[in-house]
Amino acid sequence: MIITIKGNADQKQINNLLSWVDSMGLKTNLSVGEHSTIIGLVGDTTKVDIDLIRSLEIVEDVKRIQEPFKKANRKFHPEDTIVDVAGHKFGGGFFPVIAGPCSVESYDQVLYIAKEVKKSGATILRGGAFKPRTSPYAFQGLGEEGLDILVNVKKETGMPIVTELMSEDKIPLFKDVDIIQIGARNMQNFDLLKAVGRTDKPIVLKRGLSATMEEWLMSAEYVMSEGNSQVILCERGIRTYEHYTRNTLDLSAIPLLHEKTHLPIIVDPSHASGISRLVKPMSLAAVGSGCDGLMIEVHNDPPRALSDGAQSLRPDQFDDVMTVVKKLLPMVDKKLS
Amino acid sequence: MIITIKGNADQKQINNLLSWVDSMGLKTNLSVGEHSTIIGLVGDTTKVDIDLIRSLEIVEDVKRIQEPFKKANRKFHPEDTIVDVAGHKFGGGFFPVIAGPCSVESYDQVLYIAKEVKKSGATILRGGAFKPRTSPYAFQGLGEEGLDILVNVKKETGMPIVTELMSEDKIPLFKDVDIIQIGARNMQNFDLLKAVGRTDKPIVLKRGLSATMEEWLMSAEYVMSEGNSQVILCERGIRTYEHYTRNTLDLSAIPLLHEKTHLPIIVDPSHASGISRLVKPMSLAAVGSGCDGLMIEVHNDPPRALSDGAQSLRPDQFDDVMTVVKKLLPMVDKKLS
Amino acid sequence: MIITIKGNADQKQINNLLSWVDSMGLKTNLSVGEHSTIIGLVGDTTKVDIDLIRSLEIVEDVKRIQEPFKKANRKFHPEDTIVDVAGHKFGGGFFPVIAGPCSVESYDQVLYIAKEVKKSGATILRGGAFKPRTSPYAFQGLGEEGLDILVNVKKETGMPIVTELMSEDKIPLFKDVDIIQIGARNMQNFDLLKAVGRTDKPIVLKRGLSATMEEWLMSAEYVMSEGNSQVILCERGIRTYEHYTRNTLDLSAIPLLHEKTHLPIIVDPSHASGISRLVKPMSLAAVGSGCDGLMIEVHNDPPRALSDGAQSLRPDQFDDVMTVVKKLLPMVDKKLS
Amino acid sequence: MIITIKGNADQKQINNLLSWVDSMGLKTNLSVGEHSTIIGLVGDTTKVDIDLIRSLEIVEDVKRIQEPFKKANRKFHPEDTIVDVAGHKFGGGFFPVIAGPCSVESYDQVLYIAKEVKKSGATILRGGAFKPRTSPYAFQGLGEEGLDILVNVKKETGMPIVTELMSEDKIPLFKDVDIIQIGARNMQNFDLLKAVGRTDKPIVLKRGLSATMEEWLMSAEYVMSEGNSQVILCERGIRTYEHYTRNTLDLSAIPLLHEKTHLPIIVDPSHASGISRLVKPMSLAAVGSGCDGLMIEVHNDPPRALSDGAQSLRPDQFDDVMTVVKKLLPMVDKKLS
């Protein structure tokens, strides 16, 4: 951490700051210039409150040099984390594809889609039982009944399941769920992050609507700091000023995050654009960017879907995407899992 | 709602869409052009899934004409909602000032600050007991002990209190709290919104870090749809690309929201910039914009604060702000409450 | 165009608006609802000033249904535009790669790089002679001398050249340049757009730092409205709140623009992230997204480059990128040109 | 400038970097930690290419400590710059109000508006002769004829005039113009900035649509580095994801820029929202924020305006704004000029 002190600062105040820093067990490194003095903090600065330092009258600016995340940091864990879900691996060159309907509507619907996507190469089934909706008047998901449907389809097809959790008190209902998804709107619901950090299930952590990569990794850190290190990051588009697409899929985040963290990173191309015609090109682009898997919405009959129909593919369209994905994977040194 | 149909659309598919719309009890209005056909939907379209319509192959675009919020909509409730908290009113020309420390640290600290800000004209006391922090390693607040301190200071000073709720299971602890605050990161924690919608307490609903005004009003609608109409909106800065300030205080939201909704809107100038020197000018700017109150962080000794020290004023600085605020209020037809 | 009239609007004012619209040769379509009246405008609304209508007291909102661009609109020109540069084609399945140094430094430097990138499969040479720099104290390019170097290397290697034009008065100097580049910062320098619209040279039009796709297409429209229809759009990253990368490469723009316009769209992955390690994955991602070409910075000795070194590849790294690009192209039905 | 070196960096490469920095006349300050080495650069780093350093394989990150602007920097010029335009002063506690139509339409129109706004307290007349429009099909201004009208109204009323310049070759036409305005879209048209930097006229430099404060100050630096130090910054709203307003007026920029620079800063509340009903509250908010003047669009008959009608006030509405502005100014220690 680098603290820039104003040129007119009082020496006594500087000394106070130095002893305060010292009291936290950090070493300092002073460099006096003409218009400002610079203090470098050496040691573990993750607990230092950068805003507090910035508040001091004598401080002009503070910049963090060390990343504030530790358990998620590749610097301290150089090897890829591989998350294994019933034999399907995320990370380390493995590339699973998660597919399924946005919302669970009926057993027949989910079973039909599960069988179709499995034929095309998907290995994990997704489906929403609890749905976060912007409007209180929109369909909120089948809830517990939806979970039962997913579990029954899992039994029938052998596909592990992933579904979204929206509040801590529902965790007991998720005992047969294989991967818990934390949605974008809850990425900084810290109580929920801590709660899933105390489970032993892999977590798909979606990026918040306007979360920086650093905030996203700090949310992963919340889960990991409670003991659960099986976090799979999921890029799903960020909010920008553009309005032709619903969100802007940030694929440059993929190679950059691979440098910053050892956690696997998958891409959900369905939500980013909000337009099903864009799912295929964005899936191929995601493979090119080096991601560790895809999560794609598939629906038997998109127009009748109760939510997010616009972004769902039909099974035949999904099969078409998978055909090209399978050809591309070897060229980026990845294999389906 | 206006649906634009592609020029080459099949008449049968158009008819299917028309009957589907009809089945929802909405009237349609068709206008056939050279390159596209336009369908206008007349009636209550709040329950229509705009994404679902956009997904249809024949649809080029859909635009909502009617706002998707109803209970929060001024169109249907032209009169200002006035929220009364122990005699202090928000809305309708009344202007209360909420002040207090970012984090509750001790009884003495809170009592001292409460007495000071009361002298300067603040009527409601704020203080954080449960603190949402980006890092799991940062101080997370005193929790229940912090709530007790606030309640004791309330008894001593007579000032009603507002503090943040982060999860539904803590609601029973808030029985002596006068106003429940929902923080920016939980603005779309829909389960929490519904839960506080079932209480009888006024809610301060902070704007999400990158929430549109419409999403914000939809979150107010979540609370209101459960029966609680005492919602106070709180602008606290939005995320932009600018990095000299932490957030960009969006004051143009104030007069615009006053047109869209009957709910009172207050401004928190402390969090937007993250810099205490900006609190005074932004407080005066907020008054100029026509807001219905202010929420300001005040600390007895900012540098030692355990969180957000940078944005807190000392009591003497707060008094200086209040001196000017009091002079400005009559010029914008507002009075302290 | 759809105009929503306020519920309490005066009928006389509505009639005034209707006759004004009529005077522009547009037909109207009226739909009277309970809380608002909706007027649909039928005909060519590209010249209608949407802001002017919004200003009327009786108007609640106006939405454009028709896109405001015509010459660039695929609706009116369904076939792909193919821009031919000395036999190398952009669009229609062809995929040229443009490569070269960010800044022209010397004849030897440019010649060396040109030969290297040609060997790897690049067919068009790029290089900056006039450099737009944020700081007046940074190197501004060799100017006219740089142009001469490029032209000489073109003669030596046979590679057509593309370079940036920053002001109209320099156009005569560009007579031997094959493609004129308009940089992101000048995307809305309308006088410059009109000026290059009067030349007969292909234009690479970079997307502005925070330009919407619609504004970008309107800038293409400026060039085309002056008679020059050889416009190549170039996505180069947009400004977002993220700070780990310099810009966010918006690859979802590629398939979306392919629907909206018949113009070819290439991608510059070098500038988006500002980090050379990201150029390879983002190049592959761009191919996956379906773009019509790449523009990549290559430098013989990146650290000594006088500008943008961080984002340049060495020739061997560029060759590595091209090896994979060549394998991917057939899978997305494209061929090098 | 602080350079963070990767933990596994080669000592020889570090030495190369140190000697390169040394060759630029800068001193270095080395601090070796467990996971990284930090190099502090001491001296004038404004000419150091931060991107070039970031490109080095051994470099993990670089952060600028010193601001890259010098002439605009308050650190080196603590006193407010006061720009005097025919006796009306910007900065140092003076507060002129600029008013006039968005577009010049006719002599009678401009004269009428000029007389009206002068009565209400405006001292400088604005009006667009050359208009930057997103669409090539929209009205582009009266051009030279518009300039003549402005100059004639200036003669008649004695009000100095400000109008926008869009290209260098038009500068000779601006000889009777008192203040040259550089519009938001040309804020980084560096050739134009240098050109006006060689004139002796005050420059109103509007903030770019998504310019950071630092980029904006660097553009001021471009003008100043050519010898013209009479730069007036004009905040006019920035681009965000919000779509209820056209732009988001960034008033927190005002007090922050007052710390960073000695240049005067005015606010244009007309363009930010794009809605005339918001001009009054945002003007009052701007006064509260501490700005050094206002620029407001006024039109005799808003709905018939040829451009930006939506954001223009009628003279009686402008008078109403001025009535309150005049009352507020003494409370923020400003006086009309």
Side-chain angles (χ1 to χ4, degrees):
Chain A
M1 194 170 282
I2 302 292
I3 308 174
T4 313
I5 302 291
K6 287 178 185 163
N8 58 359
D10 184 77
Q11 187 59 43
K12 201 184 129 202
Q13 290 175 293
I14 298 180
N15 291 341
N16 281 348
L17 175 59
L18 291 172
S19 22
W20 179 73
V21 169
D22 188 64
S23 75
M24 285 186 290
L26 297 166
K27 292 212 175 60
T28 53
N29 191 315
L30 207 71
S31 151
V32 181
E34 196 179 345
H35 296 287
S36 51
T37 293
I38 289 164
I39 303 175
L41 267 55
V42 185
D44 176 8
T45 58
T46 48
K47 286 180 194 174
V48 177
D49 187 340
I50 191 168
D51 288 330
L52 195 154
I53 293 175
R54 191 173 285 125
S55 75
L56 294 164
E57 295 256 354
I58 57 167
V59 170
E60 187 174 308
D61 198 12
V62 196
K63 288 191 200 301
R64 201 178 270 286
I65 299 297
Q66 236 180 26
E67 287 105 347
F69 46 93
K70 291 193 291 191
K71 291 179 188 292
N73 201 327
R74 191 180 281 276
K75 203 178 278 176
F76 309 123
H77 309 74
E79 297 296 310
D80 276 10
T81 281
I82 296 179
V83 178
D84 188 309
V85 179
H88 305 294
K89 299 190 178 77
F90 293 82
F94 297 101
F95 192 101
V97 176
I98 302 169
C102 180
S103 291
V104 169
E105 294 169 34
S106 71
Y107 175 77
D108 289 350
Q109 172 228 24
V110 179
L111 182 64
Y112 172 78
I113 296 174
K115 286 180 171 172
E116 289 291 315
V117 300
K118 195 177 174 182
K119 266 192 275 177
S120 303
T123 51
I124 300 172
L125 179 66
R126 57 148 291 152
F130 298 96
K131 301 293 304 170
R133 304 302 306 274
T134 307
S135 167
Y137 309 121
F139 175 61
Q140 313 265 322
L142 289 182
E144 203 166 339
E145 186 193 338
L147 283 184
D148 287 344
I149 290 173
L150 283 171
V151 171
N152 286 330
V153 173
K154 172 186 169 179
K155 283 179 192 154
E156 179 75 21
T157 61
M159 295 176 84
I161 53 177
V162 53
T163 194
E164 179 165 352
L165 173 73
M166 286 173 65
S167 63
E168 186 179 349
D169 61 349
K170 300 289 192 303
I171 291 182
L173 301 175
F174 279 61
K175 63 176 191 300
D176 294 322
V177 168
D178 299 277
I179 307 176
I180 296 176
Q181 177 176 313
I182 299 296
R185 288 176 184 77
N186 278 317
M187 194 204 82
Q188 291 196 317
N189 180 339
F190 301 120
D191 281 4
L192 187 62
L193 296 175
K194 287 186 215 171
V196 299
R198 290 185 294 263
T199 70
D200 60 356
K201 294 187 184 295
I203 307 299
V204 161
L205 179 63
K206 289 207 158 186
R207 183 178 188 175
L209 276 78
S210 68
T212 62
M213 293 187 225
E214 190 167 295
E215 289 170 337
W216 192 10
L217 290 172
M218 289 308 288
S219 288
E221 194 83 10
Y222 256 98
V223 177
M224 299 171 87
S225 70
E226 295 286 330
N228 186 350
S229 60
Q230 302 180 81
V231 179
I232 300 159
L233 301 169
C234 180
E235 162 65 29
R236 44 76 73 201
I238 59 171
R239 175 156 283 176
T240 66
Y241 60 84
E242 178 60 53
H243 55 264
Y244 273 3
T245 44
R246 194 162 55 173
N247 293 292
T248 298
L249 195 66
D250 180 10
L251 290 180
S252 44
I254 309 303
L256 199 67
L257 283 171
H258 276 143
E259 297 198 344
K260 298 275 182 193
T261 185
H262 50 89
L263 297 172
I265 306 143
I266 64 173
V267 172
D268 176 347
S270 306
H271 282 85
S273 63
I275 304 173
S276 65
R277 299 180 306 272
L278 266 59
V279 174
K280 183 177 178 183
M282 296 323 288
S283 295
L284 307 186
V287 172
S289 77
C291 69
D292 301 305
L294 288 170
M295 170 136 76
I296 298 180
E297 282 183 15
V298 178
H299 201 279
N300 47 336
D301 184 8
R304 267 196 241 144
L306 293 172
S307 71
D308 290 71
Q311 61 212 22
S312 291
L313 301 180
R314 288 188 312 266
D316 61 311
Q317 294 169 319
F318 175 71
D319 191 66
D320 176 42
V321 173
M322 288 301 288
T323 303
V324 189
V325 165
K326 286 174 198 163
K327 283 190 211 159
L328 295 185
L329 284 178
M331 287 163 204
V332 290
D333 300 319
K334 293 266 158 59
K335 56 183 164 195
L336 272 188
S337 175
Chain B
M1 192 171 285
I2 301 292
I3 307 174
T4 313
I5 302 291
K6 287 178 185 163
N8 58 359
D10 186 77
Q11 187 59 42
K12 202 185 128 200
Q13 290 174 293
I14 298 180
N15 291 342
N16 282 347
L17 175 59
L18 292 173
S19 20
W20 179 74
V21 169
D22 187 66
S23 75
M24 286 186 290
L26 296 166
K27 291 213 175 57
T28 53
N29 191 315
L30 207 71
S31 150
V32 181
E34 197 179 346
H35 296 286
S36 52
T37 293
I38 289 165
I39 302 175
L41 268 53
V42 185
D44 177 6
T45 59
T46 49
K47 286 182 194 175
V48 177
D49 186 339
I50 192 167
D51 289 329
L52 195 155
I53 293 175
R54 192 175 282 126
S55 75
L56 294 164
E57 295 258 353
I58 57 167
V59 170
E60 188 176 307
D61 199 12
V62 196
K63 288 189 200 305
R64 203 178 268 286
I65 299 297
Q66 236 180 24
E67 287 105 347
F69 46 93
K70 291 192 291 191
K71 291 179 189 293
N73 201 329
R74 191 180 282 274
K75 202 178 280 177
F76 308 123
H77 310 74
E79 297 296 309
D80 277 9
T81 281
I82 296 178
V83 178
D84 188 310
V85 180
H88 305 294
K89 299 190 178 75
F90 293 82
F94 297 100
F95 192 101
V97 177
I98 302 170
C102 179
S103 291
V104 169
E105 294 170 34
S106 71
Y107 176 76
D108 288 351
Q109 171 229 25
V110 179
L111 182 64
Y112 172 78
I113 297 174
K115 285 178 171 173
E116 289 291 315
V117 300
K118 195 176 174 182
K119 267 192 275 177
S120 302
T123 50
I124 301 173
L125 178 66
R126 55 148 292 151
F130 298 95
K131 299 293 304 171
R133 304 302 305 274
T134 307
S135 167
Y137 310 120
F139 175 62
Q140 313 267 319
L142 289 183
E144 203 165 339
E145 186 193 338
L147 283 183
D148 287 345
I149 291 173
L150 284 170
V151 171
N152 286 329
V153 173
K154 170 185 169 179
K155 283 179 192 155
E156 179 73 23
T157 61
M159 293 176 86
I161 54 177
V162 53
T163 193
E164 181 167 351
L165 172 74
M166 285 174 66
S167 63
E168 185 179 349
D169 61 351
K170 299 290 191 302
I171 290 182
L173 300 175
F174 279 61
K175 64 179 190 301
D176 294 322
V177 168
D178 299 277
I179 306 177
I180 296 176
Q181 177 176 314
I182 299 296
R185 289 176 184 78
N186 279 317
M187 192 203 84
Q188 292 196 317
N189 181 340
F190 301 120
D191 281 4
L192 188 61
L193 295 175
K194 287 186 216 170
V196 298
R198 290 184 296 261
T199 70
D200 59 356
K201 292 187 185 295
I203 307 301
V204 161
L205 180 64
K206 289 207 159 185
R207 184 177 186 175
L209 276 79
S210 68
T212 61
M213 293 186 224
E214 190 167 297
E215 289 170 336
W216 191 11
L217 291 172
M218 289 309 289
S219 288
E221 193 82 12
Y222 257 98
V223 177
M224 298 172 87
S225 70
E226 296 287 330
N228 186 349
S229 59
Q230 299 179 82
V231 179
I232 300 159
L233 301 168
C234 181
E235 162 65 29
R236 43 78 71 202
I238 59 171
R239 175 155 284 175
T240 66
Y241 60 83
E242 178 59 55
H243 55 264
Y244 273 2
T245 44
R246 193 161 60 173
N247 293 293
T248 298
L249 195 66
D250 180 12
L251 290 181
S252 43
I254 310 304
L256 199 66
L257 284 171
H258 275 143
E259 296 199 342
K260 298 275 182 192
T261 186
H262 50 90
L263 297 172
I265 307 145
I266 64 173
V267 172
D268 176 345
S270 306
H271 282 86
S273 64
I275 304 172
S276 64
R277 300 180 304 274
L278 266 59
V279 174
K280 183 177 176 183
M282 296 322 288
S283 295
L284 306 187
V287 172
S289 76
C291 70
D292 302 304
L294 288 171
M295 169 136 77
I296 297 180
E297 282 184 15
V298 177
H299 201 279
N300 47 335
D301 184 7
R304 267 198 239 145
L306 293 173
S307 72
D308 290 71
Q311 61 214 21
S312 290
L313 301 180
R314 290 189 311 267
D316 60 313
Q317 293 169 320
F318 175 72
D319 191 66
D320 176 42
V321 173
M322 288 301 289
T323 303
V324 189
V325 165
K326 286 175 198 162
K327 283 191 212 157
L328 294 185
L329 285 178
M331 287 164 204
V332 290
D333 301 318
K334 293 266 158 59
K335 54 183 164 194
L336 271 188
S337 176
Chain C
M1 193 170 283
I2 301 292
I3 307 174
T4 313
I5 303 290
K6 287 178 186 165
N8 59 358
D10 184 79
Q11 186 59 42
K12 202 184 130 200
Q13 289 175 293
I14 299 180
N15 291 342
N16 281 347
L17 174 59
L18 291 172
S19 21
W20 179 73
V21 168
D22 187 66
S23 75
M24 286 185 290
L26 296 166
K27 291 212 173 59
T28 53
N29 191 314
L30 207 72
S31 151
V32 182
E34 197 180 345
H35 295 286
S36 52
T37 293
I38 289 165
I39 303 175
L41 267 54
V42 185
D44 177 8
T45 58
T46 50
K47 287 181 193 176
V48 177
D49 187 340
I50 192 167
D51 289 330
L52 195 154
I53 293 175
R54 191 173 285 125
S55 75
L56 295 163
E57 295 257 353
I58 57 166
V59 170
E60 186 174 308
D61 198 12
V62 197
K63 289 192 199 301
R64 202 178 270 286
I65 299 297
Q66 236 180 23
E67 288 105 348
F69 46 93
K70 290 192 291 191
K71 291 178 189 293
N73 200 329
R74 191 180 280 276
K75 202 178 281 177
F76 308 123
H77 309 75
E79 296 297 309
D80 276 10
T81 282
I82 296 178
V83 177
D84 189 311
V85 179
H88 304 294
K89 298 189 178 76
F90 293 81
F94 297 101
F95 192 100
V97 176
I98 302 169
C102 179
S103 291
V104 169
E105 293 169 34
S106 71
Y107 176 75
D108 288 351
Q109 171 230 26
V110 179
L111 183 63
Y112 172 78
I113 296 175
K115 285 179 171 172
E116 289 291 316
V117 300
K118 195 177 175 183
K119 265 192 275 176
S120 302
T123 51
I124 300 173
L125 179 66
R126 57 147 291 151
F130 298 95
K131 300 293 305 171
R133 303 303 305 273
T134 307
S135 167
Y137 310 120
F139 175 62
Q140 313 266 320
L142 289 182
E144 203 166 341
E145 186 193 337
L147 282 184
D148 287 345
I149 291 173
L150 284 171
V151 171
N152 286 330
V153 173
K154 170 186 171 179
K155 283 179 192 153
E156 180 73 22
T157 60
M159 293 176 87
I161 53 178
V162 53
T163 194
E164 179 166 352
L165 172 73
M166 284 173 66
S167 63
E168 185 179 350
D169 61 350
K170 299 289 192 302
I171 290 183
L173 300 175
F174 278 61
K175 65 177 188 301
D176 294 323
V177 168
D178 299 278
I179 306 177
I180 295 176
Q181 178 176 313
I182 299 295
R185 288 175 184 78
N186 279 317
M187 193 203 83
Q188 291 196 316
N189 181 339
F190 301 120
D191 281 4
L192 188 61
L193 295 175
K194 287 187 214 169
V196 299
R198 290 185 295 262
T199 70
D200 60 356
K201 292 188 184 297
I203 307 300
V204 161
L205 179 64
K206 289 207 159 185
R207 184 177 186 175
L209 275 79
S210 68
T212 61
M213 294 187 224
E214 190 167 296
E215 288 170 337
W216 192 10
L217 290 172
M218 289 311 286
S219 288
E221 193 83 12
Y222 256 98
V223 177
M224 298 172 87
S225 70
E226 295 287 330
N228 185 349
S229 59
Q230 300 179 82
V231 178
I232 301 160
L233 301 169
C234 180
E235 163 65 30
R236 44 77 72 202
I238 59 171
R239 175 155 285 175
T240 66
Y241 60 83
E242 178 58 56
H243 56 265
Y244 273 1
T245 45
R246 194 163 56 173
N247 293 292
T248 297
L249 196 66
D250 180 11
L251 290 180
S252 44
I254 310 303
L256 199 67
L257 284 171
H258 276 144
E259 297 199 343
K260 297 275 182 193
T261 186
H262 49 91
L263 297 172
I265 306 143
I266 64 173
V267 172
D268 175 346
S270 306
H271 282 85
S273 65
I275 303 173
S276 65
R277 299 181 305 272
L278 266 58
V279 174
K280 183 177 176 182
M282 296 323 288
S283 295
L284 307 186
V287 173
S289 77
C291 69
D292 301 303
L294 288 171
M295 170 136 76
I296 297 179
E297 282 184 15
V298 178
H299 201 280
N300 46 337
D301 184 7
R304 268 198 239 144
L306 293 173
S307 71
D308 290 72
Q311 61 214 21
S312 291
L313 301 180
R314 290 189 311 267
D316 61 312
Q317 293 170 319
F318 176 71
D319 191 65
D320 176 42
V321 173
M322 287 301 288
T323 303
V324 189
V325 165
K326 286 175 198 163
K327 283 190 211 157
L328 294 184
L329 284 178
M331 286 162 205
V332 290
D333 300 318
K334 292 268 157 58
K335 55 183 165 195
L336 271 188
S337 175
Chain D
M1 194 171 282
I2 301 291
I3 308 174
T4 313
I5 302 291
K6 286 177 185 163
N8 59 359
D10 185 76
Q11 186 59 43
K12 203 185 126 199
Q13 290 176 292
I14 298 180
N15 291 342
N16 282 347
L17 175 59
L18 291 173
S19 19
W20 178 73
V21 169
D22 187 65
S23 76
M24 285 185 290
L26 297 166
K27 290 212 176 59
T28 52
N29 191 315
L30 208 71
S31 150
V32 181
E34 196 180 345
H35 296 287
S36 52
T37 293
I38 289 165
I39 303 174
L41 269 53
V42 185
D44 177 7
T45 58
T46 49
K47 286 181 194 174
V48 177
D49 186 340
I50 191 167
D51 289 330
L52 195 154
I53 293 176
R54 192 174 284 127
S55 76
L56 295 164
E57 295 257 354
I58 57 167
V59 170
E60 187 175 307
D61 199 13
V62 197
K63 288 191 201 299
R64 202 178 268 287
I65 298 297
Q66 237 181 22
E67 287 106 348
F69 46 93
K70 291 192 291 192
K71 291 179 189 292
N73 201 328
R74 191 179 282 275
K75 203 178 280 177
F76 309 123
H77 310 74
E79 297 296 310
D80 277 10
T81 282
I82 296 178
V83 178
D84 188 310
V85 179
H88 305 294
K89 299 190 178 75
F90 293 82
F94 297 101
F95 193 100
V97 176
I98 302 170
C102 179
S103 291
V104 168
E105 294 169 35
S106 71
Y107 176 76
D108 288 350
Q109 170 230 24
V110 180
L111 182 63
Y112 173 78
I113 296 174
K115 286 179 171 173
E116 289 290 315
V117 299
K118 195 177 174 182
K119 266 191 276 178
S120 302
T123 50
I124 301 173
L125 179 66
R126 57 148 292 153
F130 298 95
K131 299 294 303 170
R133 303 302 306 273
T134 307
S135 167
Y137 310 120
F139 175 61
Q140 312 266 322
L142 289 183
E144 204 167 339
E145 186 192 338
L147 283 183
D148 287 345
I149 291 173
L150 284 171
V151 171
N152 286 330
V153 173
K154 170 185 170 179
K155 283 180 192 153
E156 180 72 22
T157 60
M159 293 176 86
I161 54 178
V162 53
T163 193
E164 180 166 352
L165 172 73
M166 285 174 65
S167 63
E168 185 179 349
D169 61 351
K170 299 290 191 303
I171 290 182
L173 300 176
F174 279 61
K175 64 176 192 303
D176 294 323
V177 168
D178 300 276
I179 306 177
I180 296 176
Q181 177 175 313
I182 299 295
R185 289 176 184 78
N186 279 317
M187 193 205 82
Q188 292 197 314
N189 180 341
F190 301 120
D191 282 4
L192 188 61
L193 295 175
K194 287 187 216 170
V196 299
R198 290 185 296 263
T199 70
D200 59 357
K201 292 187 185 295
I203 307 300
V204 161
L205 180 63
K206 289 207 159 185
R207 183 177 187 175
L209 276 78
S210 68
T212 62
M213 292 185 224
E214 190 167 294
E215 289 170 337
W216 190 12
L217 290 172
M218 289 310 288
S219 288
E221 194 82 13
Y222 256 98
V223 176
M224 298 172 88
S225 70
E226 296 286 330
N228 185 350
S229 59
Q230 300 179 83
V231 178
I232 300 159
L233 301 169
C234 180
E235 162 66 28
R236 42 78 72 203
I238 59 171
R239 175 156 285 175
T240 65
Y241 60 82
E242 178 59 54
H243 55 263
Y244 273 2
T245 44
R246 194 160 59 172
N247 294 291
T248 298
L249 195 66
D250 180 11
L251 290 181
S252 43
I254 309 304
L256 199 66
L257 284 171
H258 276 142
E259 296 199 343
K260 297 275 181 193
T261 185
H262 49 91
L263 297 172
I265 305 144
I266 64 173
V267 172
D268 175 347
S270 305
H271 282 85
S273 64
I275 303 172
S276 64
R277 299 180 303 272
L278 266 59
V279 174
K280 183 177 176 184
M282 296 322 290
S283 295
L284 307 187
V287 172
S289 76
C291 70
D292 301 304
L294 287 171
M295 170 136 77
I296 297 180
E297 282 184 14
V298 178
H299 200 279
N300 46 337
D301 184 8
R304 268 197 239 145
L306 292 173
S307 72
D308 291 70
Q311 60 213 24
S312 291
L313 301 180
R314 289 189 312 267
D316 61 311
Q317 293 169 320
F318 175 71
D319 191 66
D320 175 42
V321 173
M322 288 300 289
T323 303
V324 189
V325 165
K326 285 175 198 163
K327 283 190 212 159
L328 294 185
L329 285 178
M331 288 163 204
V332 290
D333 300 319
K334 293 266 158 56
K335 55 183 164 195
L336 271 188
S337 176

